[in-house]
Amino acid sequence: MNPLARPATAPTSRILGFFLATLGAVLFAGKAIVVKLTYRYGIDAVTLIAFRMLFAMPFFAAVAWHESRRAARGELPVLTMRERVQLCLLGLLGYYFSSFLDFLGLRYVTASLERLILFLSPTLVVLLSAWWFKRPVTRRQWVAMVASYLGVILVFAQDLAHDTGSHVALGAMFIFGSALSYAVYLICSGELVKRVGATRLVAYAMLVSCLACLVQFFLVHPPSMLVQPPGVYGYSFVHATLNTVLPVFMLMWAVALVGAPTASLLGMVGPVSVLFLAAWLLDEPITAWQLAGTALVLFGIFVLMGGRGQPARADDTGRKR
């Protein structure tokens, strides 16, 4: 049920918004844990992401159908052909390609490092905006970016020292590519979301991504690969519902209740939660270097979101994946 459907007092709405943003961030971040657990069954990234999207697709299809009915009744603008093409391209970029690179990278790096690299997306939005739109980068933004990248380097060096360097470097490259493609998605969706709306954009883009992942699966694997151990189905269902569908809408509701900048700041709990969840569920060690790197990244994002930068506005599209 949509919590925004009931009127609430301002303090109650703010508390509810804080709760939704925080829990949504933890659920989103927990995706890395579930992916690592599913990899223990020996499946590849194509199969993993296909099962995630297969279980998530009915939920997004229901939301997309509801939004299309609203448009048919005149409650929402009817999409033009140009907007439909844009939605398809955004779905392929922001939720298919980006997620696929992320899942590939999680084979080689710790869940903690993965979450920190993905958290660089706001800084990449700043840099890409400066390049594409000639927007000046402020001193505050430079401080934020230097701190964030130093934090990632600390954790990356820690992983490099405890694993085969080539694998860690390869995984980090995949995940950085995921963060970069999602940053491009955020920038490109900024104008479209004003007309289409965040709920409709996310639902339609996710549907496109679901279909692309399933097509890729059947191009790469025979249908017999749909038969997997029960654990794969269980983790995939958790991944699709608790780590994908539910936090997507939690974030949208939180943005409506407390605003995008506040929701973005509360999302900083994500990397911290993964650090401790990975230690609990995956036996990944918590070291002083990891804590220092995480603190630097969180400080950088806090400084960045505290200004008037682009990332805070971009969150209206649903920045997590």
Side-chain angles (χ1 to χ4, degrees):
M1 179 180 296
N2 187 340
L4 305 184
R6 300 187 301 271
T9 62
T12 303
S13 295
R14 189 164 182 81
I15 292 172
L16 180 59
F18 273 56
F19 172 77
L20 290 173
T22 303
L23 181 58
V26 173
L27 290 176
F28 265 130
K31 173 262 299 177
I33 308 296
V34 178
V35 169
K36 299 285 275 188
L37 291 171
T38 312
Y39 269 143
R40 292 178 176 178
Y41 288 88
I43 66 173
D44 62 354
V46 172
T47 304
L48 194 154
I49 194 172
F51 274 96
R52 173 206 192 190
M53 293 307 194
L54 182 63
F55 285 114
M57 188 162 58
F59 297 96
F60 290 113
V63 176
W65 178 83
H66 175 70
E67 293 295 295
S68 67
R69 297 303 302 162
R70 291 183 62 196
R73 293 194 299 265
E75 298 175 12
L76 295 174
V78 177
L79 296 179
T80 65
M81 182 56 66
R82 176 186 175 87
E83 289 168 342
R84 293 168 192 249
V85 172
Q86 288 176 324
L87 278 172
C88 289
L89 293 176
L90 288 174
L92 292 174
L93 177 67
Y95 292 109
Y96 164 66
F97 184 65
S98 179
S99 293
F100 184 60
L101 290 178
D102 181 29
F103 287 12
L104 284 176
L106 272 168
R107 271 194 172 277
Y108 308 114
V109 302
T110 61
S112 303
L113 178 59
E114 180 261 4
R115 182 47 41 180
L116 288 183
I117 295 175
L118 288 184
F119 226 60
L120 295 177
S121 283
T123 67
L124 293 174
V125 170
V126 172
L127 292 174
L128 290 174
S129 297
W131 178 45
W132 283 347
F133 306 118
K134 308 303 179 185
R135 292 174 180 165
V137 179
T138 66
R139 181 179 299 177
R140 181 192 194 102
Q141 291 171 331
W142 280 119
V143 170
M145 287 186 287
V146 169
S148 297
Y149 284 90
L150 282 177
V152 170
I153 289 172
L154 282 179
V155 181
F156 174 75
Q158 176 76 17
D159 276 25
L160 208 60
H162 289 84
D163 206 338
T164 53
S166 60
H167 288 173
V168 172
L170 179 63
M173 286 177 58
F174 279 137
I175 295 171
F176 185 80
S178 173
L180 180 61
S181 63
Y182 199 73
V184 175
Y185 159 80
L186 286 178
I187 294 174
C188 295
S189 63
E191 292 301 317
L192 186 61
V193 73
K194 296 177 183 178
R195 172 175 164 81
V196 175
T199 301
R200 190 160 46 154
L201 187 148
V202 170
Y204 288 0
M206 283 299 299
L207 267 183
V208 171
S209 177
C210 289
L211 292 173
C213 291
L214 293 176
V215 168
Q216 181 188 31
F217 174 82
F218 286 111
L219 288 176
V220 174
H221 297 305
S224 60
M225 284 291 290
L226 289 172
V227 180
Q228 295 289 339
V232 172
Y233 299 133
Y235 282 129
S236 296
F237 183 76
V238 170
H239 189 187
T241 54
L242 294 184
N243 303 128
T244 304
V245 176
L246 194 58
V248 161
F249 292 106
M250 280 185 170
L251 178 64
M252 287 192 296
W253 295 333
V255 167
L257 289 169
V258 298
T262 301
S264 300
L265 289 173
L266 291 170
M268 292 169 61
V269 75
V272 179
S273 67
V274 166
L275 191 64
F276 293 99
L277 285 173
W280 175 35
L281 297 173
L282 301 176
D283 295 324
E284 291 184 3
I286 299 179
T287 66
W289 288 106
Q290 288 176 320
L291 291 173
T294 300
L296 278 172
V297 173
L298 295 180
F299 170 76
I301 301 302
F302 179 82
V303 171
L304 184 61
M305 293 300 180
R308 299 179 178 270
Q310 174 70 16
R313 295 195 300 271
D315 261 343
D316 290 332
T317 63
R319 65 180 286 271
K320 307 287 184 183
R321 45 185 197 292

